Amino acid sequence: MTTTQHVWYAAYGSNMHAARFAYYRDGGTPPGTAHTYPGFRDRTPPVAITPLTLPGSLYFAWRSQVWTGGVAFYTDRPATGWPTGVAARGYLLTVGQFGDLLAQEMYRTPSADFDLAPVLAAGAVALGPGRYETVLHAGTADGAPILTCTAPWRPETVDLQRPSARYVGMIAAGLRESHGWDTDRIVGYLSTRPGIAARWPEPGLRAVVDGGPGLDLPE
């Protein structure tokens, strides 16, 4: 049973992979990184987990020190010609847990509760200028709002960046887990996304998708 005290966190990047998302919940240092997550104040597992499809576009930009390449962003207002339909994984969290996730996305220690009302009223709220500090209300599922976080910039104004093999491998593993996609479908999906499209030959992308999470394979 869901209430207004629960929200779906729609993960569309590396957090689609459950083991990666667990570092946000339980805390710790993911292999291959130097960043330690403090974890949620309430580490209760999600009430439910489900595949979701968001209506906007997925693209890769910025440059992550953790992933050493571009990272995934979501926009509900795609640039002209961008493919739409974003595969995501929904984690049903308490509002407090969602706030703790937002804090850690910006390398902060969770301390304050998240106010759900403004984003439900406006559809989008910019909590700050950071790359994942804009919260979007992307719909409703089973009576609970679907929320995700992204950057505040307009996608057509940002320089696209190709993601690293390690990052793409994590996303591919998340797509297998959450949507049950095979290699062909994952490659078909990722190869058309801005930041990867025309920047990564398909054989190299396919090798990364087949390799699974956390592998730095030839690109």
Side-chain angles (χ1 to χ4, degrees):
M1 179 178 179
T2 62
T3 71
T4 54
Q5 296 305 307
H6 289 87
V7 299
W8 291 102
Y9 159 53
Y12 52 82
S14 60
N15 279 347
M16 284 192 291
H17 190 264
R20 174 68 182 181
F21 171 73
Y23 283 98
Y24 284 83
R25 189 188 76 217
D26 299 330
T29 305
T33 77
H35 180 70
T36 299
Y37 294 89
F40 293 171
R41 290 170 292 174
D42 171 8
R43 298 184 180 182
T44 305
V47 176
I49 302 174
T50 192
L52 297 172
T53 301
L54 307 182
S57 288
L58 174 75
Y59 66 99
F60 296 87
W62 194 64
R63 185 170 181 83
S64 168
Q65 292 183 351
V66 172
W67 294 106
T68 64
V71 289
F73 293 99
Y74 174 75
T75 178
D76 58 348
R77 297 179 181 180
T80 302
W82 282 16
T84 57
V86 177
R89 190 172 206 175
Y91 298 93
L92 190 59
L93 307 177
T94 67
V95 174
Q97 288 175 321
F98 180 75
D100 289 357
L101 180 135
L102 290 176
Q104 291 178 93
E105 285 284 15
M106 292 310 301
Y107 301 143
R108 300 190 184 106
T109 300
S111 60
D113 291 335
F114 175 70
D115 185 357
L116 181 60
V119 69
L120 294 185
V125 171
L127 303 176
R131 64 198 178 282
Y132 289 124
E133 285 190 300
T134 296
V135 181
L136 301 180
H137 180 203
T140 302
D142 294 333
I146 299 169
L147 303 183
T148 196
C149 56
T150 190
W153 53 64
R154 300 291 300 155
E156 61 268 21
T157 68
V158 69
D159 289 334
L160 300 173
Q161 290 280 351
R162 194 180 78 161
S164 68
R166 187 162 57 95
Y167 187 68
V168 171
M170 191 70 70
I171 292 177
L175 289 168
R176 290 189 199 278
E177 282 186 0
S178 58
H179 288 259
W181 289 3
D182 62 14
T183 294
D184 286 343
R185 186 160 185 184
I186 294 171
V187 170
Y189 172 73
L190 292 177
S191 65
T192 62
R193 305 302 120 168
I196 292 180
R199 293 168 182 249
W200 205 337
E202 184 175 317
L205 181 60
R206 182 174 294 274
V208 171
V209 170
D210 279 336
L215 297 181
D216 275 319
L217 297 175
E219 301 174 17

